Amino acid sequence: MTAQVAVIGTGYVGLTTGAYLAHLGHRVVCADVLAEKVEALGRGEVPFFETGLEEMVREGIDGNRLNFVMGAAAAVPDAEFVFLCLPTPQAQDGSADLSYIEAVAADIGPHLIPDAVVINKSTVPVGTTTRVERLLARDDVHVVSNPEFLREGTALHDCLHPDRIVIGSDTHEAAMRVASLFEHLESPLIVTNPASAEAIKYASNAFLATKVSFINAVAQLCELFGADVRDVALGMGYDKRIGFEFLRPGPGFGGSCFPKDARALVRMAEDVGYDFDVLRSVIETNQRQFQWVTEKIERAVGGSIDGQTIAVWGLTFKARTDDLRESPSLHVIEHLRSRGAKVRAFDPMVRHEIEGVEVCGDAYAACQDAAVLVVLTEWDDFRWLDFDKVADVMASRVVVDARNLLDPTGLRRRGFQYDGIGRI
Ligand code: UGA
């Protein structure tokens, strides 16, 4: 089946969705409100880094299956399916701000063709599908929830090989029409009502964030027990009920989703009279992790870091992305700076200035005269650097590896004091 599809919003989720739907053979029109962005996308230029995405966008443009237009209303007149992929930033009170979605719904309502299906892909509070239905003010169109589970860095792979496709709809017919868009993908299909689909998205992200906070807490315990968290996670992971994934301890979770979605779910629970104390504690554990890593750095240099130069490797919230949003690295750097440290940093994906940080052109330059080297993002490249050169330029040979990325044996052989997370 080839369908006529509109995608409103060309952020991470929108652009990836548009590109892979065109790749699956559909005719896709993507809309955004930024003229410069629309023009650049029309030339096949992707404004952020995501493996394979630029190539797939160009493939769609060259095959005449992918177009970019200004404004939502211009994208929808022929569309059988309209995907809403709009930002839902955090409002002052921790809830999700729906103003973009509401504005677009009101805007496109009069332009939709009869029987069109509007599909919410943005992470939206439970109940939003019904709200969008009201705003469209049309009896002859359907609104469906189809949450996205892609990860930055592996977005296209996750879209083309999803663990599951979730469709929340009040009518079976609309759900089946949306399912037909993905008929080439082999994946379990869960068809449910809109509220359940919306809840699946939040519960999934909150559960994964819980796993990360849990293993970070276990890592702290391991240090006190004299245990090694990597062996503990391995031993746990073989239990199929637990699994290996999301049990890597680190400086805390970050990114544009986990922190925001966890807070929004706590808030949504409050609104319906439930105290989600488990999730509140996951968020607090994450905040404490930034502090715990900072204290570890202080201990590594033997006390105060006031006036000391600290080398940081890794600024992005995880490897294989250029995204700095809610990056644990930036949170730790904030703590370091507030305690008087001078921070020199290197990240393979970050070249621009960051307030209060000297961003260096390579990993060695960041280590110049540093009292300690701290690894905060798990970029694979860091493993293969010349640590004799690192040792030569540093003021003292001290490493705090907050991602358990480097090889402690090799470093200790070179005279480094090495401290990882949750290991002896
Ligand atoms: C996350 C979810 O994994 C996706 O399924 C979801 O679609 C997406 O949010 C979203 O809601 O849009 P993403 O934000 O790209 O994807 O990042 P993750 O790979 O989940 O990592 C989140 C954070 O947890 C990162 O800071 C990462 O370093 C940290 N993490 C992850 C750990 O510290 N340890 C782990 O074992 C795994």
Side-chain angles (χ1 to χ4, degrees):
M1 182 198 75
T2 299
Q4 186 71 39
V5 177
V7 177
I8 315 300
T10 59
Y12 237 102
V13 171
L15 191 57
T16 309
T17 302
Y20 92 88
L21 286 175
H23 176 76
L24 293 178
H26 303 298
R27 288 184 304 275
V28 182
V29 182
C30 292
D32 207 291
V33 285
L34 303 169
E36 254 176 56
K37 192 177 183 190
V38 170
E39 276 166 33
L41 285 169
R43 293 191 298 271
E45 290 163 23
V46 173
F48 51 84
F49 174 75
E50 181 61 45
T51 306
L53 184 58
E54 194 152 287
E55 290 80 350
M56 200 173 274
V57 166
R58 293 201 173 157
E59 172 201 291
I61 295 171
D62 294 344
N64 253 330
R65 291 188 308 278
L66 185 60
N67 282 303
F68 296 91
V69 297
M70 267 298 286
V76 301
D78 300 318
E80 301 158 76
F81 299 92
V82 180
F83 283 89
L84 303 183
C85 303
L86 295 151
T88 50
Q90 187 177 311
Q92 290 279 327
D93 62 358
S95 65
D97 171 359
L98 292 180
S99 52
Y100 292 99
I101 292 192
E102 291 177 341
V104 165
D107 188 24
I108 62 175
H111 304 282
L112 294 168
I113 59 172
D115 242 13
V117 187
V118 175
I119 304 148
N120 223 332
K121 248 198 189 309
S122 323
T123 304
V124 289
V126 179
T128 305
T129 306
T130 319
R131 210 153 144 181
V132 168
E133 239 159 31
R134 271 202 308 274
L135 284 158
L136 289 172
R138 292 274 301 260
D139 293 338
D140 57 345
V141 300
H142 314 272
V143 186
V144 165
S145 163
N146 169 228
E148 182 51 66
F149 300 101
L150 65 81
R151 289 162 299 175
E152 290 188 20
T154 51
L156 287 173
H157 174 271
D158 294 347
C159 288
L160 294 170
H161 308 278
D163 286 340
R164 77 296 207 187
I165 292 172
V166 174
I167 300 176
S169 171
D170 283 327
T171 69
H172 189 70
E173 188 228 331
M176 287 304 112
R177 281 180 60 203
V178 175
S180 70
L181 286 173
F182 310 115
E183 65 190 3
H184 298 299
L185 306 180
E186 272 176 37
S187 134
L189 177 68
I190 294 147
V191 177
T192 181
N193 67 359
S196 307
E198 290 162 343
I200 287 170
K201 172 67 191 188
Y202 278 102
S204 300
N205 272 2
F207 188 74
L208 291 169
T210 304
K211 278 187 103 175
V212 176
S213 271
F214 188 86
I215 202 66
N216 282 339
V218 170
Q220 293 201 26
L221 261 184
C222 281
E223 291 193 5
L224 300 168
F225 288 160
D228 189 321
V229 69
R230 292 165 320 139
D231 292 343
V232 173
L234 188 70
M236 288 165 68
Y238 273 110
D239 185 328
K240 290 189 191 67
R241 294 168 302 174
I242 299 174
F244 295 106
E245 302 225 28
F246 279 69
L247 288 181
R248 269 178 294 109
F253 59 76
S256 65
C257 304
F258 282 9
K260 173 172 75 81
D261 293 351
R263 287 191 289 259
L265 186 52
V266 166
R267 180 59 220 239
M268 261 184 275
E270 245 169 56
D271 287 346
V272 290
Y274 178 73
D275 176 13
F276 206 154
D277 51 353
V278 174
L279 191 54
R280 278 198 288 110
S281 153
V282 164
I283 297 167
E284 279 159 26
T285 301
N286 198 47
Q287 299 289 337
R288 280 203 301 273
Q289 192 72 0
F290 306 144
Q291 193 134 352
W292 183 68
V293 169
T294 309
E295 284 157 12
K296 198 182 243 303
I297 297 164
E298 276 182 330
R299 278 197 305 278
V301 298
S304 168
I305 49 172
D306 192 10
Q308 305 255 34
T309 298
I310 296 181
V312 164
W313 282 357
L315 291 164
T316 54
F317 84 94
K318 64 173 182 178
R320 290 170 292 282
T321 176
D322 57 1
D323 200 339
L324 293 169
R325 285 176 288 178
E326 296 251 10
S327 172
S329 174
L330 297 185
H331 284 295
V332 172
I333 287 175
E334 211 176 288
H335 281 296
L336 294 172
R337 289 187 54 227
S338 73
R339 291 167 196 215
K342 184 171 163 245
V343 177
R344 263 205 196 119
F346 170 71
D347 187 292
M349 275 291 159
V350 181
R351 288 288 177 267
H352 56 80
E353 279 183 28
I354 292 176
E355 203 199 321
V357 180
E358 188 189 331
V359 180
C360 301
D362 69 67
Y364 306 107
C367 293
Q368 192 68 48
D369 303 326
V372 53
L373 162 63
V374 187
V375 179
L376 288 171
T377 312
E378 73 284 21
W379 286 104
D380 221 23
D381 322 25
F382 296 156
R383 288 175 206 258
W384 319 116
L385 294 172
D386 178 348
F387 286 95
D388 290 324
K389 203 165 154 185
V390 172
D392 285 347
V393 297
M394 284 183 75
S396 34
R397 300 179 182 191
V398 180
V399 174
V400 173
D401 181 2
R403 294 280 185 171
N404 289 341
L405 182 79
L406 307 177
D407 166 31
T409 315
L411 284 168
R412 288 187 179 129
R413 207 173 44 234
R414 288 179 172 83
F416 279 94
Q417 170 194 320
Y418 174 91
D419 193 10
I421 294 273
R423 57 202 288 198
I424 346 130

